[in-house]
Amino acid sequence: MSEVPDEPKPAPAPAPPAPGADYPDVRSAADLRCSDVDRERVAEALRQAAGDGRLTLTELEERLEATFKARTYGELQPITRDLPQGPYPVPGGNPAANWQAGRPGAAGVAPVAGAAGAGVQPPLPPSGGPVRPSERITSVLGNEKRQGRWEVPARIDVTSILGEVVLDFTEAVVRTPEVEIQTSIVLGSLTMIVPEGIDVRIDEGTNILGERKMKLREPVTPGAPVYRVRGFVLLGEVTVRPPRDKRRSLLGH
């Protein structure tokens, strides 16, 4: 008498969630997790806005930090709300044409019509206009200062002889991913005021009885501009520091 094979047993039902388990409460597409690609698209839009003069260096640094900390589309959306691209689209919605192909376009530009090109954005125009290639700042027995909303060229040549030069980048407009600062300091000083998170690199150079002080303490924000400081210092000083806390200044600290 032949044996009857055992019938396959049904797969066990999935275990119910453990009591008290903390699971995300997804109520809309804005609660879904965003990806690295989404964050990089927003970061690129911010860099373009800074190059157009829409964002200061401080605003760029703050928004880049928020971008790379964002976990959901809801956290990513407000970062570009006041820019021409508008809020970043959420999955399943009606993405704005400005965000098609993963890069922001010019606001108010109609899509290109045609059989093969329907709904496709035209090429982006160059951002921000021409960038000043260089600027020379010389201080001899005097003071020179750049502050407020000033446009930073790709290269700055600083000469300070028994003088003082202050470059305040807090509200500066930076159109290039890298800025070179060439120094010639003799019995003088150069002070760079830079928001925390900006990548400032003091390269090796001639330093004779001088000082080079780096007072930035926070980690570099991804995508922030790079400042390269080169040159020589003779009986002088180069200082890179963050903006002073206004509240502490009012308290006299």
Side-chain angles (χ1 to χ4, degrees), residues 162-181:
L162 290 167
E164 179 185 10
V165 176
V166 178
L167 303 179
D168 188 345
F169 296 97
T170 307
E171 299 180 9
V173 175
V174 183
R175 302 185 189 275
T176 57
E178 185 167 316
V179 177
E180 180 182 353
I181 300 173

Side-chain angles (χ1 to χ4, degrees), residues 125-210:
S127 67
V131 177
R132 289 191 301 150
S134 64
E135 179 180 355
R136 181 177 296 277
I137 300 174
T138 303
S139 175
V140 180
L141 292 170
N143 300 319
E144 286 288 335
K145 192 169 187 177
R146 299 291 185 274
Q147 62 181 351
R149 197 175 182 87
W150 63 290
E151 185 171 331
V152 179
R155 171 178 169 132
I156 305 175
D157 292 282
V158 176
T159 300
S160 178
I161 303 174
L162 290 167
E164 179 185 10
V165 176
V166 178
L167 303 179
D168 188 345
F169 296 97
T170 307
E171 299 180 9
V173 175
V174 183
R175 302 185 189 275
T176 57
E178 185 167 316
V179 177
E180 180 182 353
I181 300 173
Q182 191 73 31
T183 65
S184 302
I185 311 296
V186 180
L187 293 168
S189 68
L190 166 64
T191 301
M192 296 174 54
I193 304 173
V194 184
E196 291 281 10
I198 300 300
D199 190 358
V200 180
R201 306 175 188 179
I202 301 180
D203 296 343
E204 292 184 3
T206 304
N207 185 12
I208 303 173
L209 297 175

Side-chain angles (χ1 to χ4, degrees), residues 45-55 83-85 105-106 125-129 149 151 173-175:
L46 295 174
R47 296 184 195 108
Q48 180 182 356
D52 291 341
R54 302 181 194 276
L55 297 177
L83 299 180
Q85 293 85 357
S127 67
R149 197 175 182 87
E151 185 171 331
V173 175
V174 183
R175 302 185 189 275

Side-chain angles (χ1 to χ4, degrees), residues 21-253:
D22 186 14
Y23 292 102
D25 186 12
V26 178
R27 297 177 180 269
S28 68
D31 296 326
L32 296 175
R33 296 273 180 151
C34 58
S35 68
D36 288 340
V37 173
D38 297 310
R39 283 183 280 267
E40 185 54 42
R41 287 175 180 173
V42 173
E44 179 59 31
L46 295 174
R47 296 184 195 108
Q48 180 182 356
D52 291 341
R54 302 181 194 276
L55 297 177
T56 66
L57 191 59
T58 301
E59 291 169 333
L60 173 62
E61 188 272 332
E62 290 173 349
R63 297 196 189 197
L64 283 174
E65 183 178 7
T67 297
F68 288 103
K69 284 184 177 179
R71 295 184 178 182
T72 67
Y73 286 95
E75 294 173 351
L76 210 55
Q77 274 202 313
I79 296 173
T80 57
R81 183 171 291 160
D82 60 347
L83 299 180
Q85 293 85 357
Y88 192 71
V90 298
N94 183 19
N98 291 341
W99 287 101
Q100 287 184 1
R103 58 182 304 190
V109 179
V112 178
V120 178
Q121 278 290 105
L124 293 177
S127 67
V131 177
R132 289 191 301 150
S134 64
E135 179 180 355
R136 181 177 296 277
I137 300 174
T138 303
S139 175
V140 180
L141 292 170
N143 300 319
E144 286 288 335
K145 192 169 187 177
R146 299 291 185 274
Q147 62 181 351
R149 197 175 182 87
W150 63 290
E151 185 171 331
V152 179
R155 171 178 169 132
I156 305 175
D157 292 282
V158 176
T159 300
S160 178
I161 303 174
L162 290 167
E164 179 185 10
V165 176
V166 178
L167 303 179
D168 188 345
F169 296 97
T170 307
E171 299 180 9
V173 175
V174 183
R175 302 185 189 275
T176 57
E178 185 167 316
V179 177
E180 180 182 353
I181 300 173
Q182 191 73 31
T183 65
S184 302
I185 311 296
V186 180
L187 293 168
S189 68
L190 166 64
T191 301
M192 296 174 54
I193 304 173
V194 184
E196 291 281 10
I198 300 300
D199 190 358
V200 180
R201 306 175 188 179
I202 301 180
D203 296 343
E204 292 184 3
T206 304
N207 185 12
I208 303 173
L209 297 175
E211 287 188 281
R212 300 182 185 187
K213 300 177 182 178
M214 170 61 72
K215 296 186 177 181
L216 300 181
R217 296 290 180 262
E218 298 297 325
V220 173
T221 302
V226 177
Y227 288 74
R228 294 188 180 275
V229 184
R230 300 185 173 100
F232 73 87
V233 180
L234 172 62
L235 291 167
E237 182 177 280
V238 173
T239 302
V240 180
R241 67 167 178 84
R244 292 193 175 94
D245 191 326
K246 292 183 179 178
R247 292 169 299 178
R248 295 182 60 185
S249 298
L250 290 173
L251 294 173
H253 298 296

